[in-house]
């Protein structure tokens, strides 16, 4: 079941990517999914966007750690954080991290890389409510260098707005 984001955002989808139904793409909890036009060795790079209210005091690094733990539980393989950095400002904090892991998709083993970006935003209607938006690029390890720049363009285009652009 596709979910919506707790606050509206807009972003630009780079060329070479096409929006897809989250349910059909196997990401039912996502608010938005884009698939790359060129699969690599049977794996299609994808970008997902989701988010949730986080009324708890968890920091972005703690939230990112939760994601690593959840991913390890789902993939049942070790997940390695290969890079992590805090970004943004005090008013608009962010965190980026890169994960490496392996999985089997369609009976085929894949070494994957996932770039995750967490953006903390305040609800414009109630500034006491914090929302964390998560943007995720998942690709084969071999294709990651080629699609990372596209993901970075999408992340840089995120802005408050009506709804995600396609």
């Amino acid at each position: 079941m596709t979910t919506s984001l707790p606050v509206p955002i807009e972003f630009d989808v780079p060329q070479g990517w096409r929006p897809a139904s989250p349910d059909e793409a196997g990401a039912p909890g996502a608010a938005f999914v884009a698939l790359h036009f060129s699969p690599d060795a049977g794996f299609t790079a994808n970008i997902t966007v989701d988010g949730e209210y986080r009324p708890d005091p968890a920091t972005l690094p703690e939230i990112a750690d939760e994601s690593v733990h959840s991913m390890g539980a789902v993939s049942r393989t070790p997940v390695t954080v290969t890079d992590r950095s805090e970004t943004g400002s005090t008013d608009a904090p962010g965190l980026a991290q890169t994960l490496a892991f392996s999985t089997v998709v369609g009976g085929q083993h894949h070494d994957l890389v996932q770039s995750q970006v967490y953006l903390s935003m305040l609800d414009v209607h109630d500034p006491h409510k914090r929302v964390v938006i998560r943007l995720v690029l998942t690709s084969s390890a071999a294709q990651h260098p080629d699609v990372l720049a596209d993901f970075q363009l999408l992340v840089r285009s995120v802005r408050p707005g009506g709804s995600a652009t396609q």
Side-chain angles (χ1 to χ4, degrees):
M1 177 174 141
T2 303
T3 61
S4 60
L5 294 173
V7 295
I9 63 170
E10 294 181 356
F11 49 85
D12 302 319
V13 178
Q15 290 184 342
W17 296 81
R18 66 173 177 83
S21 161
D23 291 330
E24 291 174 23
F32 178 82
V33 174
L35 302 176
H36 195 264
F37 284 127
S38 302
D40 178 51
F43 186 84
T44 302
N46 60 81
I47 295 172
T48 60
V49 179
D50 63 26
E52 64 183 339
Y53 280 104
R54 290 298 302 238
D56 62 325
T59 64
L60 289 179
E62 290 169 339
I63 293 169
D65 286 342
E66 291 171 7
S67 184
V68 173
H69 177 74
S70 294
M71 180 171 249
V74 169
S75 71
R76 297 182 183 155
T77 62
V79 176
T80 304
V81 178
T82 61
D83 188 41
R84 180 182 281 182
S85 61
E86 293 189 56
T87 62
S89 64
T90 304
D91 293 334
L95 182 136
Q97 72 178 4
T98 305
L99 310 176
F101 61 101
S102 295
T103 193
V104 176
V105 178
Q108 189 174 1
H109 175 84
H110 295 277
D111 291 325
L112 302 179
V113 174
Q114 191 171 86
S115 293
Q116 301 178 338
V117 174
Y118 296 84
L119 304 174
S120 183
M121 305 172 81
L122 296 179
D123 185 316
V124 293
H125 301 294
D126 183 354
H128 294 97
K129 292 183 179 177
R130 176 179 68 143
V131 171
V132 175
I133 302 295
R134 181 175 64 162
L135 302 104
V136 179
L137 164 68
T138 306
S139 67
S140 68
Q143 192 177 29
H144 193 260
D146 297 331
V147 295
L148 181 59
D150 290 345
F151 179 64
Q152 291 168 334
L153 285 171
L154 184 141
V155 169
R156 283 195 295 273
S157 75
V158 172
R159 58 205 174 270
S163 64
T165 58
Q166 297 183 14

